[in-house]
Amino acid sequence: MTTESGADSEAKQPQANKEAEKGKTKAAADPASPQKQPEQLPAAVGHSTPTRKDQEQEEDQESHRSSTSRLSKSPLRGVKKVKMMQCKITLLDGTDYTVNVEKRAKGHVLFDKVCEHLNLLEKDYFGVTYRDVENQKNWLDPSKELKKQIRTGPWNFAFNVKFYPPDPSQLSEDITRYYLCLQLRDDVVSGRLPCSFATHTLLGSYTVQSELGDYDLEEMGSDYVSEIRFAPNQTKELEEKVMELHKTYKGMTPAEAEIHFLENAKKLSMYGVDLHHAKLVGNLYESLAPAEGEDSEGVEIMLGVCSSGLLIYRDRLRINRFAWPKILKISYKRNNFYIKIRPGEFEQFESTIGFKLPNHRASKRLWKVCVEHHTFFRLVSPEAPPKKFLSLGSKFRYSGRTQAQTRRASAQIARPAPLFERTSSKRYNMSRSLDGAPITENHETPVKDGTGDGVPKVLAHEDIITTVTTERKAEEEKEEQEEVQKAATETPEATEMTPLRHDTKDSEPPPEVVKHQTNISELKRSFLETGSGSGGPGQTEWEKRLSSSPLRSPRADESPMIEPLELQDANDEQPTEEETKQVVGSKDTVAAGYLVKYVPDSIVTEGATSSGPHGISLSTTMDDDVFINGTLREEAEGKSHEEEEVSDRSDVKVSPGAVRQEVSQAISDKKGTLIIFKQPENKENTQDEGTSEKKSLPAPIELETDETEKETEAPAAVKGQTSVVEMLSPTVEIKTGDTAQIKNIDSPKKAMASWISEEKVEVSQVIGVFTKKVEELKTLDEVQQKAEGIQSKQLESSLTHITVSEASAASLAVSTFGWVSPSQKASADQDEKPVITENEAEPVTSKVPDGVDVPSKDVPVVHTETKTITYESAEVDTNGDADAGVLLSAQTITSETTSTTTTTHITKTVKGGISETRIEKRIVITGDADIDHDEALAQAIKEAKEQHPDMSVTKVVVHKETEITPEEGED
Amino acid sequence: MANMCPYGRFTHAVVRGIPETFGKTAGDSHENGEVTVDQAKAQRQFGCLTGALRQKVGLQLIEIPPDPELPESWRIEDVAVIQGDTALITRPFKQQRRSEVDAVRRVMSELNLTIVEMGDELGDSGGATLEGSDVLFTGREFFVGISSHTNRRGAEVLADTFRDFAVSTVPVCGGARLKDFCSMGGPDTIIISNSDGAKKTLRVRMMEQLTDHHYEVLTVPEESAANCIYIKGPSKRDFLLHRPAEECPDSISAFQKLPDYTPLPTACSEASKLGASLSSFCLLINRKHTYF
């Protein structure tokens, strides 16, 4: 693909470009995955080139395609004749853009075409929506085929802002801000974004300035704004005030006016808040407080998802707010939506709050929106979706770039500011042609110039991309491996599984996925659009919003889509009995110089997911596994992550935004390093286990020598795993991936195989071990058995209702397992490391059993099991403890994905003339049964090693927290 | 947004004098007539307060003459909530206080504020009640205490009036009012008393849960000390009117932590017997407000 970019710049052969694009698209089939960035970037660049646009048009005509494009490679096309579908996309300026895409194309193809048409490079903030059967707006899933998302009706879409940047001034390009402005204007006019009169005036005046420029008496006269809409209920007074203000803006450029517009709009309390109707479940006066003495059960509220977290409104009043760091887990089951909250200052236990949504689809849609927002705004990189074919629960993950990534990428945009025509809100709508061609052309011009000259620019992009790419590729490879493994694995598993599960699994992937997508944006859309629809004229803006919500919509549950979902539920419930649990794992990998002090820190506690009240837990888990934030980790260990979390929670200083910035900065500073770390996070494995024993084997398994560590987590029982991998590198420098990794691949498979053979043991362990795989396997078995024992105990413990989940920090068994590179400095290579493992591992296992206890039982509905296992190389420890050295720098970076949170702590010290870089990575994997924690951990370790070949793993701490859900079905 | 700027910039203060009927109808329900207040002393204290606002801080002071028919009319804070150029005329809990708003409304309109009537919107039957002593505006958002005097409907009206801002509700138990234990101490500083109720109600709910913003919290040991008046006057200096050492001996040191402030100890002992405090006496307005 790289080549292609070059080609683009040089030649304008449309076809070539096309091919390139398609290649990209296909390659990118894993939509947002950064892995493909190398390809993507060129694509982005390509967008700007005129050539491409030409191509598009050509494509539309289809004639071209037949010959050239097919040759190109798209698997889709190659196979047989391609069926094209005409898509109509309503753009933010109200015009429609029509484009043809293959029927089987994935969502991102359409999205990319639109962005190309709009000449938009910073496209990660945007998305394409469509209406589902219920007329709810949904976000088009870029990774899924269009035809599976648009089940019925014409292929009509809308282009919208999906993630409202908290600070629009950080957007790189004016054109991006322009589109954001268009969205916000519509938000304001529709009433979705309520404003005071003064704000309407102010925003309106900037809109006028942006569209009309300076006031000109002769040209404009005295009534020049009445055709522009500023507010839901526009009055003459408002227009006069707008004009009055507008006349003061002499010389303000459109771009400046838009910046002013955004600077004011972003402060509005409902800016970027995606509202969802819900009802309170249970009487939760303490946290939700409708009013004193009032029963909160059934109170209608609105849940607002935004960049900072989840807001809860009752009518117009905010009654609570849960920042992302405060939320341990998000899940949904049927039409219930749950958030597990980290205990507050005066609370001892975490709590789970339930909300009832109008229907299953609404709850799923809300869940997805939460997953996406959390990933986009809080994580450094997205987490990979679960890969199993037969997994229970939703595979949905946000696959696009995160804000941190998109900022990084957009910082590299080097093209000259594109020229674009600002169409105005209402007036031009009618006259606009459907295709919006003029706009395009304008855009292109500048672009062309850029491209022509700009080979260097392109390069810049590539660079960026490349970085990312490496990571991605590594990930991909791993993923592939995993998949293979899984494929193998799954079959056996399936057999083991109860029939119920099978059903679930089977049904889910295709239908559910589709559904997910369908549901996602419905609410948003509904808000946006609904206003007038259901609400009468007399309604307040807020009411309109409400009215749009599914609750009020008549059809709520009727749609066919729902049925399948329910099926799932049913299935889920049955599994519940089995009680699968979500596993949350945190893994931290730290590459450290010599000193490893923090090892103790590594103990991480994870919030276990709350299982559904009944047996449903499985379903909940599966579908819902969302993420656990760094918070979890903190609690358990606190220290390593302190920085971040502190900022978030403890009100210290740092606002979430700041954190993000830090993260991004950190990233930019040390691209290679950080990236590396990220990868581990992304990987999650699904674990499916036998039903009855569900909680079996949490025990970690580690064996091996240096580089590879594997940890096994009990699939069912274990909900949270935290592992910390520390790598010591003699050298400060971190090198990226080496061959050693490849070796790992094999090992995991073996591990899997072994696992499979064990069958009902139900222990899923994925371990990538480099050289000494065999040894590992042995160890694993031992460990597993022990683990099983433990788990069985846990199983006995009773379940609680979802609402009240208390996590008890159970016993922690800490074993240290360390890989230390023999030679601290020279031993950059993989194989060299001593094997410390087995001996250590054994002790660990023994400890594990002890650890299983459920401490807190006041309201104990949910028992949590926490286990911590530390693997540490003896050598390392000693070193670490011995000399403190001089701290040169310390850096903490946190990234989160839906199911994984990774915190990377990089410390540079000089001790005794030797500089050490120590990297501590804490990875929290949260998830349900469908995540194979072990595998995820193994991969994380593997990745970390690969990426820091010159460093060795000193210590791995695995901390697992499991909720034990017995079968009591209550509810 | 248009109205958002750091808290504390004010140009005008509206106050209402102490009537001779001061204390006749006791301030807050539970205390009632048993409390003996010194009306003359109250007037002196009122004079000190207004003097400080005018001469030290440099605000333009608008004093509405007292009305003997309205013994509580000096608690002018309750009858209007002003933000930017909008004044929400509230609907006090007590029927007998509702006519207090008339004079205030006139002043607001003379100041060219946009007036929003709470009574009008919901009608008397709407049941919305709201008093300014339950409203904490931080410059970025509103917190409304749901108390014995302010109900949720009232808070909704406020939210509808000031749409730019998040309006969060905070349950306030007993006969207390939100501003009994908190007030603004700077653009990003909230002064909160250390009492258990305040801690639980405010610190947790407000600081940790409800807000997106980060506020510094200045904790004072005495509840009476938590109600202050912070103003960044025309001179750009930071003024803090707080209770004097005689009234809150343990909290003075806390105020001294505020750097570069000009502390203005202001006695308020008589009004506090009636459940009022410093902020009860005035409505602060920024008429210099312009779009930025």
Side-chain angles (χ1 to χ4, degrees):
Chain A
M1 312 309 310
T2 328
T3 338
E4 295 176 358
S5 62
D8 291 346
S9 59
E10 295 178 6
K12 308 192 174 177
Q13 313 161 354
Q15 298 175 350
N17 292 335
K18 259 196 183 178
E19 293 180 0
E21 283 189 1
K22 303 199 170 170
K24 297 174 185 175
T25 40
K26 292 163 185 179
D30 327 353
S33 63
Q35 315 163 351
K36 310 198 170 167
Q37 290 183 355
E39 299 172 357
Q40 288 182 350
L41 289 183
V45 177
H47 292 298
S48 57
T49 61
T51 316
R52 296 229 163 161
K53 297 201 171 179
D54 296 345
Q55 298 173 359
E56 279 191 0
Q57 296 174 351
E58 293 176 0
E59 287 183 358
D60 297 350
Q61 300 170 355
E62 291 192 17
S63 56
H64 258 305
R65 282 200 180 164
S66 48
S67 57
T68 324
S69 53
R70 286 187 186 171
L71 295 180
S72 48
K73 50 220 140 169
S74 57
L76 299 179
R77 292 184 184 175
V79 180
K80 52 188 173 182
K81 185 170 185 179
V82 179
K83 181 164 186 182
M84 301 300 291
M85 292 293 290
Q86 185 178 67
C87 301
K88 189 179 81 175
I89 302 102
T90 301
L91 303 178
L92 289 167
D93 62 1
T95 61
D96 288 333
Y97 168 65
T98 305
V99 64
N100 291 329
V101 299
E102 297 169 11
K103 188 174 184 182
R104 297 173 60 191
K106 295 193 173 176
H108 69 90
V109 174
L110 178 62
F111 177 68
D112 289 344
K113 281 181 186 291
V114 178
C115 291
E116 189 174 341
H117 170 75
L118 294 171
N119 199 18
L120 179 63
L121 292 185
E122 293 177 283
K123 55 189 183 183
D124 302 294
Y125 300 96
F126 300 83
V128 171
T129 60
Y130 65 93
R131 294 247 178 211
D132 65 11
V133 193
E134 295 175 329
N135 202 32
Q136 299 287 342
K137 278 200 174 180
N138 291 272
W139 290 106
L140 190 68
D141 188 330
S143 63
K144 309 243 161 102
E145 291 183 16
L146 290 168
K147 69 173 184 181
K148 291 188 177 174
Q149 302 185 61
I150 318 296
R151 287 285 175 78
T152 60
W155 283 34
N156 292 339
F157 303 88
F159 184 79
N160 291 104
V161 173
K162 188 174 190 181
F163 304 112
Y164 289 73
D167 187 1
S169 66
Q170 290 199 15
L171 295 174
S172 288
E173 297 199 300
D174 287 340
I175 192 171
T176 313
R177 272 186 286 273
Y178 168 66
Y179 292 124
L180 177 58
C181 273
L182 290 181
Q183 175 72 67
L184 287 166
R185 283 183 206 168
D186 188 57
D187 291 347
V188 169
V189 169
S190 66
R192 290 187 299 267
L193 183 58
C195 324
S196 65
F197 179 86
T199 301
H200 279 307
T201 305
L202 187 64
L203 296 180
S205 68
Y206 289 129
T207 297
V208 173
Q209 181 70 21
S210 168
E211 290 190 6
L212 305 180
D214 288 353
Y215 173 72
D216 181 336
L217 177 59
E218 294 179 0
E219 188 178 314
M220 297 178 179
S222 59
D223 185 24
Y224 57 97
V225 301
S226 56
E227 52 184 1
I228 304 177
R229 292 207 64 196
F230 307 115
N233 302 310
Q234 190 159 326
T235 61
K236 211 63 190 167
E237 181 190 8
L238 175 61
E239 292 173 7
E240 288 167 3
K241 294 275 187 186
V242 167
M243 288 188 287
E244 188 180 310
L245 213 48
H246 170 233
K247 290 172 184 172
T248 66
Y249 300 150
K250 292 296 181 190
M252 184 185 293
T253 68
E256 288 168 349
E258 283 153 9
I259 287 174
H260 287 301
F261 180 98
L262 294 174
E263 285 305 299
N264 285 281
K266 76 175 186 187
K267 296 176 188 167
L268 295 167
S269 75
M270 297 305 291
Y271 172 83
V273 177
D274 183 22
L275 291 175
H276 300 249
H277 267 288
K279 289 182 179 177
L280 289 181
V281 175
N283 191 343
L284 299 166
Y285 176 77
E286 273 302 317
S287 53
L288 295 177
E292 188 173 3
E294 185 178 349
D295 187 355
S296 63
E297 174 81 39
V299 168
E300 288 205 17
I301 58 164
M302 298 290 285
L303 295 175
V305 183
C306 66
S307 60
S308 66
L310 195 57
L311 304 169
I312 301 177
Y313 296 91
R314 185 181 182 198
D315 295 322
R316 309 158 183 80
L317 304 173
R318 184 188 290 180
I319 59 175
N320 216 328
R321 168 182 174 273
F322 300 102
W324 293 126
K326 185 89 177 157
I327 299 176
L328 298 177
K329 170 172 182 138
I330 296 181
S331 57
Y332 73 93
K333 184 184 314 171
R334 294 178 172 177
N335 64 334
N336 294 313
F337 176 79
Y338 304 97
I339 54 177
K340 177 179 274 188
I341 305 302
R342 173 184 313 285
E345 187 180 348
F346 301 101
E347 301 156 341
Q348 192 172 358
F349 304 108
E350 57 196 30
S351 56
T352 298
I353 301 176
F355 304 94
K356 198 169 280 297
L357 276 86
N359 56 48
H360 179 279
R361 307 179 68 200
S363 64
K364 194 164 195 174
R365 194 157 45 221
L366 171 59
W367 175 79
K368 289 178 80 171
V369 170
C370 285
V371 169
E372 292 181 317
H373 276 71
H374 174 264
T375 303
F376 185 81
F377 290 109
R378 289 282 306 170
L379 302 189
V380 170
S381 63
E383 124 191 285
K387 289 146 200 174
K388 282 198 174 183
F389 294 103
L390 298 180
S391 64
L392 294 177
S394 172
K395 289 180 178 176
F396 175 80
R397 292 290 184 280
Y398 174 68
S399 54
R401 286 178 182 159
T402 63
Q403 181 174 242
Q405 289 172 327
T406 195
R407 281 184 181 168
R408 199 168 16 138
S410 59
Q412 307 291 334
I413 292 175
R415 69 175 180 183
L419 300 178
F420 56 95
E421 177 182 330
R422 289 173 167 84
T423 60
S424 75
S425 21
K426 293 300 169 186
R427 292 163 293 166
Y428 298 129
N429 287 346
M430 304 312 296
S431 59
R432 281 260 146 191
S433 63
L434 295 179
D435 56 12
I439 301 177
T440 319
E441 293 178 0
N442 293 338
H443 297 286
E444 293 179 357
T445 327
V447 176
K448 291 181 179 180
D449 297 342
T451 336
D453 321 283
V455 179
K457 300 173 183 176
V458 178
L459 293 179
H461 287 290
E462 289 181 354
D463 291 336
I464 303 170
I465 299 166
T466 345
T467 355
V468 182
T469 319
T470 15
E471 301 173 356
R472 292 291 167 178
K473 289 182 178 178
E475 293 180 357
E476 290 182 354
E477 292 179 359
K478 296 176 183 177
E479 293 179 359
E480 291 178 358
Q481 300 173 359
E482 292 179 357
E483 289 184 359
V484 177
Q485 298 174 356
K486 292 180 181 178
T489 314
E490 289 181 357
T491 323
E493 286 186 8
T495 46
E496 296 178 359
M497 310 288 289
T498 53
L500 296 179
R501 287 197 174 184
H502 284 292
D503 296 344
T504 319
K505 292 179 179 180
D506 296 347
S507 59
E508 286 187 357
E512 282 195 349
V513 172
V514 177
K515 298 171 185 177
H516 286 294
Q517 296 177 346
T518 319
N519 297 339
I520 293 188
S521 51
E522 292 182 5
L523 292 181
K524 272 194 178 179
R525 289 304 133 196
S526 63
F527 283 121
L528 300 181
E529 297 182 353
T530 329
S532 54
S534 34
Q539 292 183 326
T540 62
E541 298 166 9
W542 198 280
E543 288 173 333
K544 289 179 182 175
R545 295 180 171 191
L546 295 180
S547 59
S548 60
S549 70
L551 293 177
R552 298 195 179 178
S553 68
R555 324 178 188 165
D557 295 2
E558 303 172 359
S559 69
M561 306 289 295
I562 298 172
E563 294 181 354
L565 295 178
E566 291 181 353
L567 292 179
Q568 288 183 346
D569 292 345
N571 294 340
D572 294 345
E573 292 179 355
Q574 297 172 349
T576 314
E577 298 176 355
E578 301 171 354
E579 304 177 18
T580 320
K581 292 138 196 187
Q582 311 159 349
V583 180
V584 178
S586 61
K587 307 173 182 179
D588 297 33
T589 307
V590 179
Y594 306 83
L595 306 179
V596 179
K597 295 179 181 179
Y598 296 121
V599 178
D601 302 341
S602 55
I603 303 168
V604 179
T605 315
E606 296 321 303
T609 43
S610 57
S611 53
H614 308 294
I616 304 172
S617 54
L618 287 181
S619 59
T620 313
T621 319
M622 312 299 306
D623 290 340
D624 317 349
D625 27 323
V626 186
F627 36 87
I628 296 176
N629 301 345
T631 3
L632 296 178
R633 315 162 186 169
E634 291 179 356
E635 294 179 355
E637 4 155 358
K639 305 174 181 179
S640 57
H641 300 278
E642 298 170 358
E643 304 174 6
E644 294 181 353
E645 297 184 354
V646 172
S647 58
D648 295 346
R649 302 174 181 175
S650 43
D651 48 326
V652 181
K653 309 168 181 178
V654 187
S655 60
V659 176
R660 282 183 222 131
Q661 293 180 351
E662 293 178 1
V663 175
S664 58
Q665 290 180 355
I667 297 169
S668 58
D669 296 343
K670 309 189 174 182
K671 299 175 182 176
T673 321
L674 295 178
I675 295 168
I676 297 168
F677 292 108
K678 297 173 185 176
Q679 295 178 351
E681 303 173 357
N682 297 342
K683 303 166 183 176
E684 303 169 357
N685 303 336
T686 322
Q687 311 162 340
D688 295 2
E689 306 167 353
T691 52
S692 59
E693 295 179 354
K694 304 172 184 180
K695 299 180 179 178
S696 57
L697 336 183
I701 300 170
E702 335 43 15
L703 329 172
E704 351 194 98
T705 56
D706 323 332
E707 298 177 350
T708 328
E709 301 173 0
K710 304 171 181 181
E711 296 124 352
T712 319
E713 299 174 354
V718 180
K719 295 180 180 179
Q721 242 190 348
T722 309
S723 58
V724 180
V725 181
E726 297 181 355
M727 303 177 64
L728 297 182
S729 64
T731 354
V732 180
E733 304 165 358
I734 300 170
K735 301 175 182 179
T736 347
D738 294 359
T739 49
Q741 309 163 354
I742 299 171
K743 297 178 181 178
N744 294 338
I745 299 171
D746 299 343
S747 60
K749 294 180 180 177
K750 294 179 181 178
M752 294 293 292
S754 62
W755 170 47
I756 296 168
S757 60
E758 296 173 358
E759 295 182 357
K760 294 187 179 180
V761 176
E762 303 174 352
V763 179
S764 62
Q765 311 138 346
V766 179
I767 301 167
V769 179
F770 286 62
T771 32
K772 305 177 181 179
K773 307 166 184 176
V774 178
E775 297 176 355
E776 296 176 359
L777 295 178
K778 297 176 183 176
T779 345
L780 294 176
D781 297 346
E782 298 175 356
V783 176
Q784 293 177 352
Q785 294 175 351
K786 296 178 181 178
E788 293 179 357
I790 298 167
Q791 293 175 348
S792 59
K793 296 177 181 178
Q794 298 175 350
L795 294 178
E796 298 175 357
S797 61
S798 60
L799 296 181
T800 37
H801 296 285
I802 299 171
T803 20
V804 182
S805 63
E806 297 176 357
S808 58
S811 58
L812 306 181
V814 179
S815 60
T816 311
F817 175 81
W819 295 305
V820 179
S821 63
S823 61
Q824 296 174 343
K825 297 179 180 179
S827 65
D829 302 350
Q830 322 114 0
D831 300 349
E832 306 168 356
K833 297 108 197 193
V835 178
I836 301 168
T837 5
E838 296 178 353
N839 296 339
E840 296 178 356
E842 294 178 356
V844 173
T845 47
S846 59
K847 294 177 181 178
V848 178
D850 300 345
V852 182
D853 293 345
V854 180
S856 63
K857 301 174 182 176
D858 298 348
V859 187
V861 178
V862 179
H863 296 280
T864 307
E865 209 184 8
T866 308
K867 298 178 184 179
T868 305
I869 300 173
T870 307
Y871 306 94
E872 195 169 14
S873 64
E875 300 176 358
V876 177
D877 292 345
T878 37
N879 293 341
D881 297 346
D883 305 349
V886 178
L887 180 65
L888 290 180
S889 66
Q891 190 175 25
T892 302
I893 299 159
T894 304
S895 62
E896 299 177 8
T897 45
T898 43
S899 60
T900 312
T901 304
T902 302
T903 304
T904 306
H905 192 79
I906 303 173
T907 314
K908 292 185 181 181
T909 53
V910 176
K911 121 184 127 180
I914 301 172
S915 67
E916 296 177 352
T917 300
R918 182 178 148 206
I919 302 173
E920 236 187 57
K921 229 180 183 178
R922 175 162 293 118
I923 303 164
V924 179
I925 301 173
T926 308
D928 311 338
D930 62 343
I931 296 178
D932 184 333
H933 296 264
D934 300 340
E935 186 174 341
L937 178 58
Q939 290 215 357
I941 296 169
K942 196 199 305 178
E943 292 178 0
K945 287 195 172 183
E946 292 176 0
Q947 303 190 356
H948 305 274
D950 51 341
M951 302 181 91
S952 58
V953 177
T954 309
K955 188 183 210 170
V956 178
V957 179
V958 180
H959 180 85
K960 297 181 183 178
E961 188 172 2
T962 307
E963 272 187 8
I964 301 173
T965 316
E967 332 145 350
E968 329 159 347
E970 305 198 338
D971 266 351
Chain B
M1 72 221 53
N3 293 320
M4 197 169 279
C5 55
Y7 179 85
R9 307 263 180 156
F10 299 108
T11 57
H12 293 66
V14 181
V15 298
R16 191 160 194 181
I18 306 284
E20 57 260 32
T21 53
F22 178 77
K24 286 282 174 57
T25 306
D28 264 306
S29 45
H30 47 280
E31 301 185 72
N32 269 352
E34 303 171 5
V35 182
T36 50
V37 293
D38 182 340
Q39 190 244 346
K41 188 175 179 185
Q43 281 178 327
R44 285 197 299 276
Q45 290 175 342
F46 175 79
C48 291
L49 172 69
T50 55
L53 291 174
R54 182 172 49 219
Q55 295 171 358
K56 303 268 181 54
V57 180
L59 299 184
Q60 293 198 42
L61 197 70
I62 298 167
E63 182 167 349
I64 302 174
D67 182 347
E69 299 299 313
L70 301 171
E72 293 184 79
S73 57
W74 52 273
R75 306 174 71 143
I76 195 171
E77 175 188 37
D78 282 335
V79 298
V81 176
I82 300 164
Q83 192 285 317
D85 57 3
T86 301
L88 172 65
I89 306 299
T90 67
R91 188 162 177 270
F93 176 71
K94 291 185 192 172
Q95 184 69 43
Q96 54 269 35
R97 291 198 63 189
R98 292 187 185 154
S99 49
E100 292 177 17
V101 302
D102 298 333
V104 174
R105 182 186 298 116
R106 276 195 300 276
V107 172
M108 297 297 118
S109 58
E110 285 170 11
L111 286 169
N112 284 321
L113 293 173
T114 302
I115 294 176
V116 177
E117 300 283 350
M118 177 169 278
D120 285 356
E121 277 198 24
L122 294 180
D124 281 354
S125 60
T129 62
L130 179 82
E131 295 185 4
S133 51
D134 278 315
V135 178
L136 178 69
F137 177 64
T138 69
R140 295 163 156 161
E141 60 190 321
F142 286 93
F143 293 102
V144 178
I146 303 302
S147 70
S148 55
H149 288 60
T150 297
N151 60 23
R152 215 169 49 80
R153 298 295 302 274
E156 286 173 19
V157 175
L158 183 139
D160 237 10
T161 304
F162 303 106
R163 299 184 173 199
D164 294 347
F165 299 93
V167 178
S168 301
T169 56
V170 182
V172 177
C173 304
R177 319 298 299 278
L178 181 64
K179 279 194 182 169
D180 287 348
F181 20 67
C182 66
S183 64
M184 293 304 290
D188 292 308
T189 303
I190 299 180
I191 300 172
I192 298 182
S193 76
N194 208 13
S195 66
D196 288 345
K199 204 166 188 174
K200 199 162 184 192
T201 304
L202 299 179
R203 300 209 62 169
V204 175
R205 296 271 311 149
M206 286 171 48
M207 301 303 102
E208 292 185 11
Q209 292 185 359
L210 287 173
T211 184
D212 298 323
H213 303 294
H214 172 69
Y215 299 104
E216 301 293 335
V217 174
L218 179 68
T219 303
V220 293
E222 288 127 326
E223 190 167 299
S224 61
N227 184 290
C228 299
I229 301 174
Y230 166 79
I231 300 168
K232 195 175 199 68
S235 56
K236 304 294 184 203
R237 286 158 63 201
D238 296 309
F239 293 96
L240 189 72
L241 281 72
H242 62 82
R243 306 287 287 275
E246 310 84 67
E247 298 180 15
C248 56
D250 298 334
S251 301
I252 297 302
S253 59
F255 294 133
Q256 291 167 350
K257 292 177 189 167
L258 297 169
D260 301 328
Y261 272 47
T262 304
L264 298 173
T266 308
C268 185
S269 60
E270 298 310 302
S272 70
K273 291 176 185 172
L274 302 175
S277 191
L278 291 173
S279 69
S280 305
F281 283 101
C282 58
L283 289 169
L284 298 172
I285 300 168
N286 183 4
R287 275 285 64 194
K288 264 193 187 165
H289 179 271
T290 51
Y291 304 109
F292 50 84

